[in-house]
Amino acid sequence: MKFLKAASQASNAPSAQPLVHAHPWKVAIIDDEEQIHAVTQMVLKNTKIDEQSLVFLNAYSAEEGLRLFQDHPDIALAFVDVIMETDNAGLELIHNIRNALNNHSTRIVLRTGQPGSAPEETIIRTYDINDYKSKTELTDTKLKTCVYSAIRSYRDICTIESSKRGMQKVIAASDSVLRSQTLYQFGNAVLNHTLQLLNIKTAEMYLVSQHVDLFGDAELMLLAATGDQVKLNNQWDTDILPADIKKAVLETLERQQSLVSDNVFIGYYHTNEKTQSVLYTRFHEDHDPAHDEILKLFAANITLIFQNLHSREHIQETQKELLLVLGDAIEQRSKETGAHVRRVAMMCELMALKLGQSSEYAEILKYASPLHDIGKIGIPETILHKPGKLTDSEWETMKSHAQIGYDLLKDSTRTIAKMGARIALSHHEYWDGSGYPLGLAGNAIPLEGRIVAIIDVIDALGSERAYKKPWQENDIIHYITERSGKQFDPSMVEAALSLFDSFREIRANFPDHPMH
């Protein structure tokens, strides 16, 4: 064959021994002449690009060529003959590769033995090919040059595509990390996406941190966990660690050294003077040591971030707890002992969710509801503790607690306090407009005020007070049903009735203290 006239000379040249590579470059030869296949492979058999050898895939018609691409979407280079079973078979194949299979990465070199039958400019303009050669042009040197150029282009395209996919993963990871509602979701989101980007398959992975507080007490915290064999439960703590792994973690903290074996990596990180972390990872197979440095970076940084966020969350949780304590203190000042405030908080949260409100709204309501009677702090004890019926003047003083509570909270810019102010002012308003202090009616009453109004009554009626015994559940149901459309929003009554089983469970878990 003239088009490879230098092949015999090339075969006499010394050739390097081919290296065995896991992923050789796939080169497809699609031509109806067997001799073309044989000579092309002979010339290129010892060619290596980036230390990777070539593997040849053969097809003798356009139909076979299409199946070849269906089975091997990672073909790096394809030599395609124009005329095979039909005069345009090669051109139709290229159209199907690019459009039907949506393969735009493979480099395609169109070869023809009859160059005049398909004008070069028209072909290059019309079809997505990378080169168009007459078979007589391709000497062994030109063939090798063509292969080097095409496969390096394919390599670069794959690198760009891989970077693009990696960037898409990073963006998706960033989105899910930022959407994390808790620190543990945050830790897991970062951990999972780190593994995805590195393409690491793990059986078990735990990130555990030990923090020593101001008083010298050490607290062990589970920051993140993932893997095929990791079983998470609702209680997020180190109790989910298998005994042998927990032992290994504690030993690593004591030894203060990392440990690496064939399929287990235990990294130790001393992030600051009060915090140590251990990243325990068991891989499905031998892992790439190059990943250890990235995992180390992940563990160190996620621990620092977690500690900073944990400190803030700790302050927030303390503030929320203090709101419950404040609510309890107000109830006790009114001589109403028990867990009324905590039950009301949890019942209000359930009601908000039942009514279709967001989890954020429900949580804020949970912590704002204890402030509903904060205005009673301004009511004289002679009125709060009066055993008999209040006079008209005393009753007006008692009713002022709604306005007092609002005035105490109204200037705050904090969401919980802002909602607390609205609740304090509106939780004694009636659906029919006969309540106080503003005489609001219907939907003019803030939703949170309507929720707290019915929940406060339901729990108060079911609680023992100095002036009454707890009501039976059927009596409570009858009362709120009878007051629907008058005192209470009918939709609140409907939602409350559907939640009575849950309310009963909350009362069982948080019973009143015995009255003395």
Side-chain angles (χ1 to χ4, degrees):
M1 294 293 290
K2 291 182 180 179
F3 74 97
L4 289 173
K5 59 187 177 183
S8 58
Q9 299 172 9
S11 64
N12 295 327
S15 60
Q17 291 299 313
L19 297 174
V20 178
H21 294 285
H23 303 290
W25 304 109
K26 294 181 180 180
V27 176
I29 305 171
I30 304 169
D31 200 300
D32 57 358
E33 294 184 53
E34 289 191 13
Q35 191 176 1
I36 298 294
H37 290 260
V39 177
T40 302
Q41 290 179 215
M42 181 186 69
V43 172
L44 299 175
K45 66 179 180 179
N46 292 325
T47 301
K48 290 185 287 294
I49 300 171
D50 292 346
E51 298 302 318
Q52 293 186 18
S53 58
L54 308 182
V55 62
F56 299 98
L57 306 174
N58 303 95
Y60 298 89
S61 68
E63 184 180 351
E64 288 182 17
L66 187 61
R67 285 201 297 271
L68 204 64
F69 270 87
Q70 290 170 336
D71 295 338
H72 301 274
D74 57 340
I75 292 172
L77 168 63
F79 290 106
V80 180
D81 188 15
V82 176
I83 301 173
M84 289 180 280
E85 60 263 57
T86 67
D87 288 349
N88 291 317
L91 299 178
E92 291 174 2
L93 172 61
I94 292 168
H95 177 80
N96 287 328
I97 292 169
R98 298 305 196 202
N99 297 285
L101 300 183
N102 197 31
N103 180 335
H104 298 282
S105 300
T106 299
R107 304 295 84 194
I108 297 177
V109 176
L110 194 62
R111 297 196 290 192
T112 179
Q114 304 176 36
S117 63
E120 182 175 344
E121 183 181 348
T122 303
I123 294 298
I124 292 175
R125 184 175 65 245
T126 307
Y127 295 90
D128 184 3
I129 62 173
N130 305 104
D131 210 345
Y132 181 44
K133 298 290 186 183
S134 166
K135 292 180 181 180
T136 58
E137 290 182 67
L138 286 172
T139 63
D140 69 324
T141 302
K142 287 186 177 180
L143 181 61
K144 288 181 179 178
T145 301
C146 175
V147 169
Y148 274 102
S149 174
I151 290 183
R152 282 169 176 163
S153 294
Y154 174 79
R155 174 201 63 193
D156 294 342
I157 288 170
C158 290
T159 300
I160 292 169
E161 285 296 316
S162 176
S163 299
K164 179 182 175 182
R165 287 191 298 271
M167 184 58 66
Q168 289 171 337
K169 284 185 177 181
V170 168
I171 292 170
S174 301
D175 182 64
S176 64
V177 167
L178 292 173
R179 289 177 183 272
S180 301
Q181 296 297 309
T182 68
L183 295 181
Y184 306 111
Q185 289 176 352
F186 167 76
N188 263 25
V190 175
L191 177 56
N192 279 314
H193 288 298
T194 300
L195 297 181
Q196 286 179 24
L197 290 171
L198 296 177
N199 196 28
I200 298 175
K201 303 293 189 296
T202 63
E204 294 172 296
M205 184 177 252
Y206 300 95
L207 177 59
V208 179
S209 174
Q210 185 182 71
H211 180 70
V212 178
D213 65 17
L214 292 172
F215 304 103
D217 296 325
E219 180 184 9
L220 205 62
M221 293 179 291
L222 179 64
L223 306 190
T226 192
D228 298 342
Q229 297 179 27
V230 173
K231 293 182 173 55
L232 301 176
N233 54 28
N234 293 329
Q235 187 64 33
W236 186 276
D237 55 36
T238 52
D239 288 344
I240 74 168
L241 292 173
D244 58 329
I245 293 178
K246 190 170 186 177
K247 180 182 177 185
V249 168
L250 292 173
E251 288 175 350
T252 302
L253 286 169
E254 185 176 350
R255 188 175 58 247
Q256 298 187 352
Q257 285 184 339
S258 298
L259 177 67
V260 181
S261 64
D262 290 341
N263 65 341
V264 173
F265 169 77
I266 309 178
Y268 170 81
Y269 316 106
H270 197 173
T271 48
N272 60 48
E273 67 222 15
K274 294 183 178 179
T275 305
Q276 306 175 83
S277 299
V278 173
L279 181 67
Y280 178 97
T281 307
R282 184 164 66 84
F283 302 94
H284 280 305
E285 54 194 25
D286 291 355
H287 76 292
D288 184 352
H291 291 156
D292 293 351
E293 201 60 35
I294 297 177
L295 292 175
K296 176 181 177 180
L297 188 64
F298 157 77
N301 283 311
I302 200 68
T303 303
L304 286 173
I305 293 170
F306 192 95
Q307 287 300 334
N308 289 333
L309 294 178
H310 183 265
S311 297
R312 295 183 185 181
E313 190 170 85
H314 183 71
I315 293 171
Q316 291 173 345
E317 291 303 315
T318 301
Q319 291 171 339
K320 292 172 182 177
E321 183 65 24
L322 287 174
L323 290 175
L324 293 173
V325 171
L326 177 60
D328 279 339
I330 294 166
E331 290 296 312
Q332 290 181 27
R333 186 171 182 270
S334 303
K335 298 294 186 183
E336 296 177 354
T337 58
H340 171 67
V341 167
R342 294 172 189 270
R343 290 196 301 267
V344 166
M346 286 182 282
M347 290 178 181
C348 284
E349 182 180 31
L350 285 179
M351 276 283 283
L353 295 173
K354 181 69 177 178
L355 293 166
Q357 296 300 305
S358 67
S359 57
E360 180 188 14
Y361 179 93
E363 184 182 20
I364 292 171
L365 178 60
K366 176 182 179 180
Y367 292 107
S369 62
L371 300 172
H372 67 280
D373 274 339
I374 191 172
K376 287 185 177 178
I377 201 168
I379 305 301
E381 290 191 7
T382 53
I383 294 177
L384 284 175
H385 302 162
K386 185 175 180 179
K389 186 178 179 181
L390 300 178
T391 66
D392 289 345
S393 175
E394 290 170 337
W395 176 237
E396 288 302 317
T397 301
M398 175 64 86
K399 289 197 299 184
S400 69
H401 81 275
Q403 185 67 48
I404 293 171
Y406 174 76
D407 291 339
L408 284 171
L409 300 169
K410 67 178 182 180
D411 293 328
S412 174
T413 58
R414 304 300 178 187
T415 307
I416 292 177
K418 286 165 71 175
M419 183 179 283
R422 290 160 62 90
I423 292 170
L425 187 64
S426 64
H427 74 288
H428 285 297
E429 299 287 2
Y430 281 16
W431 182 254
D432 64 5
S434 62
Y436 67 88
L438 302 177
L440 301 177
N443 289 326
I445 307 169
L447 175 62
E448 49 269 26
R450 284 177 273 148
I451 293 174
V452 173
I454 190 168
I455 293 299
D456 188 33
V457 169
I458 288 172
D459 192 73
L461 292 177
S463 303
E464 183 179 2
R465 293 288 186 262
Y467 53 86
K468 74 171 188 67
K469 294 293 184 183
W471 284 29
Q472 294 298 311
E473 190 173 289
N474 287 339
D475 295 330
I476 298 173
I477 291 173
H478 176 76
Y479 178 83
I480 65 169
T481 303
E482 192 272 334
R483 302 292 294 166
S484 177
K486 301 172 186 174
Q487 182 175 354
F488 306 121
D489 178 346
S491 63
M492 300 296 119
V493 174
E494 182 182 351
L497 291 175
S498 70
L499 289 170
F500 252 77
D501 288 343
S502 299
F503 293 167
R504 190 184 308 116
E505 186 177 343
I506 289 173
R507 180 171 292 282
N509 291 333
F510 296 89
D512 283 328
H513 308 305
M515 297 290 291
H516 297 292

